[in-house]
Amino acid sequence: MVQRQLPNPAELLELMKFKKPEFDGKKRRLDSALTIDDLRTIAKRRTPKAAFDYTDGAAEGELSLTRARQAFQDVEFHPGILRPAPSVDTSVDILGGPSALPFGIAPTGFTRLMQTEGEVAGAGAAAAAGIPFTLSTLGTTSIEGVKAANPNGRNWFQLYVMRDREISYELTRRAAAAGFDTLQFTVDTPVAGARLRDKRNGFSIPPQLTLGTIINAIPRPWWWYDFLTTPKLEFASLSTTGGTVGELLDAAMDPTISYDDLAVIRDIWPGKIVIKGVQNVEDSVRLRDAGVDGIVLSNHGGRQLDRAPIPFHLLPEVRKAVGDDFTVMIDTGIMNGADIVAAVALGADFTLIGRAYLYGLMAGGRAGVDRTISILRTEIERTMRLLGVASLAELEPAHVTQLTRLVPVTRSASDAVVR
């Protein structure tokens, strides 16, 4: 029979310790975020619908984005036992320089529209974490402004080839002069994808006010205060800012982009050059043979061609085809540090985060981006320890099985005959 007694008050005090209250609202908000999905929830609550949907959305039915995220979720890890990893090394050498973590910040357009600190917050957080930051051609901070925010860290520049080629050439020269060490030559945007959320929201640059946007903004006065009391939204390259995002892209981009353009940019650019937006094995091999320094397997975050290939599914086959000495990076769909570990295990040299960074930015500015990086770092380190690996170099394909839901249908020769 259990013997009962009145509780001793002194013992109760030892068992019941109250948490010290946090009076800083931003810190309390960000500390409550334990995952990137948590940051997304906060970002959605704090950001007007049109700006949030521009970040969160993708093209048409958003199948490419959904499938890319699902591919990372459909991973089975195979840990090694009795292989202690009390400390782990998450550093990597990528494109001639160091990174403290196996990911960098991807290029994102119109970033200050998401939250007024924009690329300055991203570049500053990247500098503090020791990882690369990438500025988009459609970024809302100048090349020189990003350099000032990240003077001693690694800055990369993402380049679109514009209809007016001289704009692209001049941007390339400016990035080189500012000490940016890597150029991401982007090839998957000859025209804008059909981003239906933006059309339904009437999203444009500058924002167009309607009764709906005003009603949506009422519970988010801090966003409008920041937007209206900070410097005018300007772009790294566009001289005109009127119209929807799709209209801006269609006016600027050139569907005639070719290997000839790559050759010209290669002559102008003195640093490393990688091709962003590669989506098949054949192009990967051809680009390697053309002498570029690397590729980024990407479907542009699902924002261009819907039903595009899943970069994470392409990765093992591309790595096998191009060999171990060619740099292969990957983006699209990364929402967890375990996604990054799985990508490295299957052959990625590096990864890039876009939406994950922007969710943090919208949730809390620079501090929110720091929180994004902290969450991903913790998840990477924990996953590596649980797998029993002490460094990224120890990760290998045997650690991961890709569980597939989308299996290509193989047609017989008779079925393939056109009738």
Side-chain angles (χ1 to χ4, degrees):
M1 187 174 188
V2 176
Q3 182 179 356
R4 298 187 184 277
Q5 64 183 30
L6 291 174
N8 185 324
E11 292 177 351
L12 283 177
L13 289 175
E14 292 179 3
L15 295 173
M16 299 175 62
K17 293 185 178 181
F18 292 96
K19 183 179 179 181
K20 182 180 178 181
E22 176 56 68
F23 297 105
D24 184 330
K26 179 188 288 188
K27 188 175 188 305
R28 184 173 63 249
R29 181 170 71 243
L30 294 175
D31 286 349
S32 72
L34 304 181
T35 66
I36 301 302
D37 274 319
D38 289 343
L39 288 174
R40 178 185 179 276
T41 299
I42 297 170
K44 186 175 184 179
R45 186 169 67 240
R46 295 186 59 81
T47 310
K49 179 176 173 58
F52 177 82
D53 276 356
Y54 171 74
T55 301
D56 194 59
E60 300 188 45
E62 304 191 357
L63 296 175
S64 290
L65 175 59
T66 300
R67 290 173 179 176
R69 286 181 173 169
Q70 189 66 59
F72 282 115
Q73 294 172 17
D74 291 343
V75 159
E76 181 178 86
F77 283 119
H78 305 292
I81 60 170
L82 301 179
R83 299 177 62 181
S87 62
V88 295
D89 181 4
T90 61
S91 65
V92 61
D93 288 328
I94 183 69
L95 296 168
S99 177
L101 294 162
F103 68 89
I105 292 181
T108 60
F110 313 108
T111 310
R112 283 190 55 233
L113 196 63
M114 308 308 109
Q115 201 273 351
T116 190
E117 296 176 58
E119 292 89 355
V120 169
I131 64 176
F133 175 83
T134 314
L135 174 64
S136 169
T137 293
L138 301 180
T140 45
T141 300
S142 70
I143 290 168
E144 295 76 16
V146 166
K147 178 64 176 179
N150 186 15
N152 301 312
R154 299 190 66 191
N155 293 309
W156 297 354
F157 186 69
Q158 175 267 334
L159 181 72
Y160 287 122
V161 173
M162 318 288 272
R163 291 180 186 272
D164 183 347
R165 294 294 197 270
E166 283 302 323
I167 294 176
S168 298
Y169 301 159
E170 179 58 24
L171 287 169
T172 303
R173 296 185 186 101
R174 280 175 58 192
F180 284 49
D181 66 77
T182 295
L183 188 76
Q184 292 184 20
F185 184 94
T186 300
V187 296
D188 58 4
T189 315
V191 296
R195 301 171 191 178
L196 302 185
R197 288 204 218 183
D198 295 345
K199 292 183 179 180
R200 290 173 179 135
N201 289 328
F203 180 70
S204 63
I205 309 297
Q208 299 295 309
L209 297 180
T210 65
L211 178 61
T213 58
I214 292 172
I215 292 173
N216 183 257
I218 290 173
R220 301 169 177 85
W222 51 81
W223 187 93
W224 286 101
Y225 174 77
D226 282 343
F227 182 74
L228 295 172
T229 61
T230 52
K232 178 183 175 183
L233 194 68
E234 295 179 337
F235 298 89
S237 61
L238 296 180
S239 58
T240 177
T241 59
T244 67
V245 174
E247 289 168 348
L248 289 171
L249 287 173
D250 282 339
M253 305 310 157
D254 192 340
T256 68
I257 181 175
S258 69
Y259 272 83
D260 291 338
D261 293 297
L262 173 58
V264 173
I265 297 297
R266 175 74 274 188
D267 286 341
I268 296 173
W269 180 252
K272 302 288 186 180
I273 186 167
V274 298
I275 310 305
K276 183 177 183 293
V278 181
Q279 299 178 64
N280 63 53
V281 175
E282 294 76 17
D283 284 337
S284 302
V285 173
R286 186 178 181 187
L287 288 164
R288 178 204 63 187
D289 294 344
V292 301
D293 297 293
I295 57 174
V296 182
L297 299 178
S298 170
N299 64 28
H300 212 103
R303 299 165 72 81
Q304 285 300 108
L305 175 66
D306 205 11
R307 300 177 176 84
I310 299 167
F312 184 56
H313 282 175
L314 279 173
L315 177 60
E317 192 176 358
V318 167
R319 172 52 72 198
K320 181 179 179 181
V322 300
D324 294 335
D325 297 330
F326 185 62
T327 298
V328 177
M329 302 190 287
I330 185 173
D331 72 12
T332 305
I334 294 171
M335 290 285 286
N336 191 290
D339 302 342
I340 295 170
V341 171
V344 173
L346 291 181
D349 295 296
F350 203 64
T351 63
L352 296 168
I353 60 163
R355 287 182 179 88
Y357 140 61
L358 294 176
Y359 293 145
L361 179 68
M362 290 186 286
R366 162 64 193 276
V369 183
D370 290 334
R371 185 62 178 155
T372 289
I373 295 170
S374 175
I375 288 171
L376 292 174
R377 179 193 292 113
T378 297
E379 290 169 342
I380 290 169
E381 292 175 348
R382 181 172 58 243
T383 303
M384 290 174 65
R385 287 192 177 100
L386 290 172
L387 287 174
V389 299
S391 70
L392 296 172
E394 294 179 28
L395 290 168
E396 56 187 26
H399 284 114
V400 175
T401 294
Q402 290 177 305
L403 307 174
T404 59
R405 301 183 185 212
L406 300 173
V407 180
V409 175
T410 303
R411 295 183 297 169
S412 66
S414 59
D415 292 335
V417 174
V418 177
R419 289 179 168 81

